[in-house]
Amino acid sequence: QVLFDNKSSLKIIDDYAFSKCTKLIQISIPSSVDTISENAFQECSLLLQIKMTLSAKKGCNFKNLFNKFSKK
């Protein structure tokens, strides 16, 4: 699980930020985030939940977040 402080000023979750975090199950994205880059969660095969505020969802670019999400 990944949690950010409520006062986080994080703006970007960059390319491959959590790539291959094979034990990651849940992440809460702070409302300050306006970009989630390509492959941010690549091969996070156990990731079940991404929590985001509505304001973060409206501004985010969700391009190819889960390329190769799981190996089958």
Side-chain angles (χ1 to χ4, degrees):
Q1 181 174 346
V2 176
L3 299 172
F4 293 92
D5 187 274
N6 289 338
K7 297 177 184 176
S8 175
S9 60
L10 181 68
K11 292 284 185 192
I12 298 171
I13 296 178
D14 216 347
D15 295 348
Y16 303 96
F18 296 98
S19 177
K20 299 183 182 178
C21 291
T22 57
K23 296 186 189 248
L24 180 62
I25 296 171
Q26 177 181 336
I27 186 168
S28 295
I29 308 293
S31 60
S32 58
V33 171
D34 58 21
T35 301
I36 301 177
S37 297
E38 289 188 41
N39 303 305
F41 301 102
Q42 178 184 16
E43 295 184 34
C44 293
S45 56
L46 295 180
L47 184 60
L48 298 174
Q49 187 173 56
I50 299 175
K51 294 182 179 180
M52 301 178 75
T53 64
L54 186 57
S55 60
K57 287 179 187 176
K58 285 182 179 179
C60 270
N61 169 17
F62 295 106
K63 184 178 178 185
N64 298 321
L65 297 183
F66 303 103
N67 281 354
K68 299 181 184 175
F69 182 75
S70 62
K71 292 181 179 181
K72 291 186 180 181

